[in-house]
């Protein structure tokens, strides 16, 4: 909202269709959250990691396909949805698709940590992301206009994903150690 209501409306209009990436991704990995919990409960770390790897690969494929689709058809799609006035800002679309894909990855990792009952990493990642996006938004929107909001989101969500990956690594190592001690 730092840039005014008109730019917020344009940005929001372009961002809205990118939510499809997150929705498709949740359809891919949500059914596996229970399976992750069961595999962890059984102590089957190898199957757990293989399942996680498959989910990450599917999510990566969806993300890549979405970026390519946005690059090839984004301007046309925006024109059909909103007209020429919004379509001329189609350069905003690719970073917004990347934001949406990163949020989907964050949701996957967060769901896995919930299944592992490792809430502190989830909390830490969310706090870090929330704390970093505010100053980044001011700095990057001032420098990059509307694109700055996407850049701030990409950076803050990437930081959250890094924390979630660290947390997941510690959780897997802890469970392997427990299993080795049995």
């Amino acid at each position: 909202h730092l840039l005014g209501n008109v730019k917020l409306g344009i940005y929001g209009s372009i961002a809205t269709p990118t939510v499809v990436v997150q929705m498709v991704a949740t359809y891919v990995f949500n059914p596996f959250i229970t399976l992750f919990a069961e595999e962890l409960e059984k102590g089957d770390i190898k199957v757990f990691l293989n399942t996680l790897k498959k989910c990450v690969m599917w999510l990566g494929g969806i993300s890549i396909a979405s970026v390519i689709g946005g690059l090839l058809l984004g301007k046309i799609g925006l024109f059909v949805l909103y007209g020429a006035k919004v379509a001329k800002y189609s350069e905003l679309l690719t970073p917004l698709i990347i934001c949406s894909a990163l949020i989907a990855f964050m949701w996957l990792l967060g769901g896995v940590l919930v299944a592992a009952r490792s809430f502190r990493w989830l909390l830490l990642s969310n706090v870090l992301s929330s704390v970093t996006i505010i100053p980044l938004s001011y700095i990057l929107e001032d420098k990059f206009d509307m694109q700055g909001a996407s850049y701030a989101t990409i950076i803050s969500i990437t930081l959250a994903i890094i924390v979630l990956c660290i947390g997941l690594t510690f959780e897997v190592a802890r469970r392997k150690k427990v299993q080795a001690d049995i």
Side-chain angles (χ1 to χ4, degrees), residues 25-96:
T26 59
Y27 286 119
V28 169
F29 68 74
N30 271 352
F32 291 96
I33 299 299
T34 303
L35 183 61
F36 287 129
E38 291 170 357
E39 290 166 353
L40 287 171
E41 186 67 30
K42 288 189 286 189
D44 201 341
I45 301 298
K46 185 176 181 180
V47 173
F48 167 81
L49 290 173
N50 282 335
T51 305
L52 180 59
K53 180 181 172 183
K54 288 176 187 173
C55 285
V56 168
M57 288 174 58
W58 271 101
L59 195 48
I62 292 166
S63 300
I64 291 168
S66 298
V67 168
I68 291 170
L71 288 170
L72 295 175
L73 304 171
K75 190 167 192 160
I76 295 167
L78 291 173
F79 181 80
V80 169
L81 284 172
Y82 305 114
K85 187 175 181 180
V86 172
K88 72 180 180 181
Y89 294 98
S90 64
E91 75 277 355
L92 295 171
L93 189 59
T94 300
L96 280 163

Side-chain angles (χ1 to χ4, degrees), residues 63-170:
S63 300
I64 291 168
S66 298
V67 168
I68 291 170
L71 288 170
L72 295 175
L73 304 171
K75 190 167 192 160
I76 295 167
L78 291 173
F79 181 80
V80 169
L81 284 172
Y82 305 114
K85 187 175 181 180
V86 172
K88 72 180 180 181
Y89 294 98
S90 64
E91 75 277 355
L92 295 171
L93 189 59
T94 300
L96 280 163
I97 293 170
I98 293 168
C99 290
S100 194
L102 288 172
I103 290 168
F105 275 104
M106 186 177 74
W107 286 353
L108 168 63
L109 295 171
V112 171
L113 284 170
V114 167
R117 296 191 181 11
S118 184
F119 301 108
R120 67 179 170 199
W121 292 101
L122 187 60
L123 179 63
L124 180 61
S125 72
N126 285 319
V127 167
L128 178 63
S129 180
S130 297
V131 167
T132 58
I133 198 164
I134 294 168
L136 283 173
S137 293
Y138 280 97
I139 294 165
L140 297 176
E141 286 178 28
D142 186 50
K143 186 169 178 92
F144 299 105
D145 199 53
M146 287 187 280
Q147 208 65 283
S150 296
Y151 296 157
T153 302
I154 289 168
I155 293 167
S156 67
I157 297 299
T158 300
L159 290 173
I161 289 170
I162 290 168
V163 170
L164 292 169
C165 287
I166 291 168
L168 187 57
T169 301
F170 277 116

